[in-house]
Amino acid sequence: MALIQWYPGHISKAERQLKEQLKRVDVVLEVRDARIPLASHHPQLKDWIGDKPRILILNREDMITNTLKQEWQEWFKNEGENPFFTNAKDGKGVKAINKASQGCGVEVNKKRQSRGMLPRPVRAVVIGFPNVGKSALINRLLNRKIVASARKAGVTRQLQWVRISKDIELLDAPGIIPLKLENQDDALKLAICEDIGEAAYENQEVAQKFVDLLVNLGTEYVLKERYGLDPLDLTGEEFIFKLAQTKYQNDQERVARQILQDFRKGYLGKVSLEYPPIEAK
């Protein structure tokens, strides 16, 4: 499979600006995709933010099962994290983010008061891969559409501060991805979930690997239910080929796009691409 790499110019510029602005920020809201909570974590984030408070947000909770949500909650808790689950599209879970951010502001202003300084709004930044729902989350926090939001990577192209209330100022940053995607398994999951730009990959290759991944995870039945073809004894390549033969006039590109879009829009049901790692005893 061809290497998946994507680093458009606006991301390089935004990353430089973000690092400069981080000095002014009190709390970091890290947004990840609930379908791939590990693959959608930026490996350099902790180095950038140091000991600043971080609120971990797993967005698109509506696209995973409640059971899996509880399993992730437990796993992250064991890792010393307290994830907030949201569906930024309909606003579910957003009030808790607001409250947690304001809680960080209380600490900031206690410190300012002790130095004889006046209180000010808490400064938060929203960071995450492209298309994980950062802008939709900000619009929900604001209760109005103030930043551009769409279901594709690379819509936000510059940093902007927005005032949420007298208590919070928020920095909306473009999706940030590593200069080089070292882990190609993670890169594949990002491509399947549309959390990197389409220019980074070939639809047919990604769709084939998606079928293989579902078979490996034991959730290939969603494909059989949707398309009437059982992928269990087929490779992903064979599945795409056969489906194209039987239903799509031999158009494999159309099949690949259809399968990926069906997954991204939730038509395959609540399908996750990652599960909490099981620690070896």
Side-chain angles (χ1 to χ4, degrees):
M1 182 168 171
L3 211 60
I4 296 174
Q5 293 295 350
W6 187 65
Y7 199 72
H10 77 272
I11 284 186
S12 172
K13 183 183 171 191
E15 188 179 303
R16 283 196 310 275
Q17 292 174 339
L18 177 62
K19 285 175 183 170
E20 287 164 20
Q21 292 286 353
L22 277 172
K23 297 166 196 161
R24 303 178 56 206
V25 164
D26 306 309
V27 58
V28 173
L29 310 184
E30 184 194 358
V31 185
R32 301 191 202 175
D33 189 323
R35 298 167 297 179
I36 48 169
L38 303 180
S40 56
H41 167 60
H42 195 300
Q44 290 157 290
L45 183 62
K46 285 184 180 173
D47 293 337
W48 293 349
I49 67 175
D51 56 3
K52 287 183 190 290
R54 178 177 62 97
I55 296 170
L56 174 59
I57 300 161
L58 301 185
N59 191 38
R60 299 209 178 99
E61 67 152 348
D62 55 310
M63 300 189 88
I64 65 170
T65 65
N66 286 333
T67 304
L68 184 56
K69 178 180 161 183
Q70 285 164 3
E71 287 173 12
W72 276 120
Q73 194 107 39
E74 196 61 37
W75 185 83
F76 275 109
K77 194 176 164 188
N78 290 336
E79 297 289 306
E81 300 257 30
N82 175 30
F84 289 80
F85 286 83
T86 60
N87 175 6
K89 209 163 53 178
D90 71 4
K92 191 177 176 187
V94 172
K95 275 185 184 169
I97 306 297
N98 210 332
K99 198 173 172 185
S101 305
Q102 284 180 10
C104 294
V106 170
E107 291 306 310
V108 167
N109 283 317
K110 269 187 192 170
K111 283 181 188 170
R112 287 177 67 84
Q113 196 175 11
S114 69
R115 294 179 196 148
M117 298 162 82
L118 290 170
R120 63 159 173 77
V122 62
R123 292 180 188 138
V125 62
V126 182
I127 297 181
F129 274 77
N131 198 35
V132 292
K134 300 179 303 300
S135 296
L137 179 74
I138 290 172
N139 289 331
R140 282 288 169 186
L141 285 165
L142 285 161
N143 282 326
R144 63 188 187 280
K145 186 166 181 176
I146 198 157
V147 293
S149 166
R151 200 185 62 81
K152 65 177 181 177
V155 173
T156 305
R157 288 184 166 255
Q158 56 193 22
L159 278 76
Q160 60 173 324
W161 282 96
V162 286
R163 189 81 176 260
I164 285 190
S165 66
K166 62 180 176 54
D167 301 311
I168 304 180
E169 286 176 355
L170 205 55
L171 180 63
D172 180 27
I176 303 294
I177 64 169
L179 176 61
K180 196 172 176 197
L181 294 165
E182 301 283 357
N183 186 325
Q184 284 293 296
D185 289 339
D186 286 354
L188 172 68
K189 292 171 190 170
L190 291 165
I192 293 167
C193 292
E194 210 177 12
D195 293 340
I196 57 175
E198 204 177 11
Y201 55 87
E202 298 291 333
N203 286 306
Q204 288 182 51
E205 286 191 341
V206 168
Q208 288 165 12
K209 293 291 182 187
F210 173 53
V211 174
D212 291 334
L213 181 57
L214 292 186
V215 171
N216 289 337
L217 292 170
T219 51
E220 76 292 329
Y221 61 87
V222 299
L223 296 172
K224 187 182 177 185
E225 286 173 3
R226 179 92 179 151
Y227 309 110
L229 181 63
D230 191 348
L232 196 53
D233 297 320
L234 303 170
T235 64
E237 191 176 355
E238 289 166 345
F239 182 82
I240 302 290
F241 179 76
K242 278 198 168 187
L243 194 55
Q245 264 190 330
T246 53
K247 293 190 176 178
Y248 292 84
Q249 290 85 47
N250 290 316
D251 190 340
Q252 293 185 57
E253 177 66 16
R254 190 176 153 211
V255 172
R257 286 180 175 275
Q258 186 70 56
I259 289 173
L260 292 172
Q261 286 306 315
D262 284 354
F263 167 70
R264 292 162 180 171
K265 290 183 175 179
Y267 297 154
L268 298 181
K270 298 192 175 194
V271 182
S272 183
L273 303 185
E274 283 182 343
Y275 294 82
I278 297 165
E279 301 300 324
K281 299 286 183 211

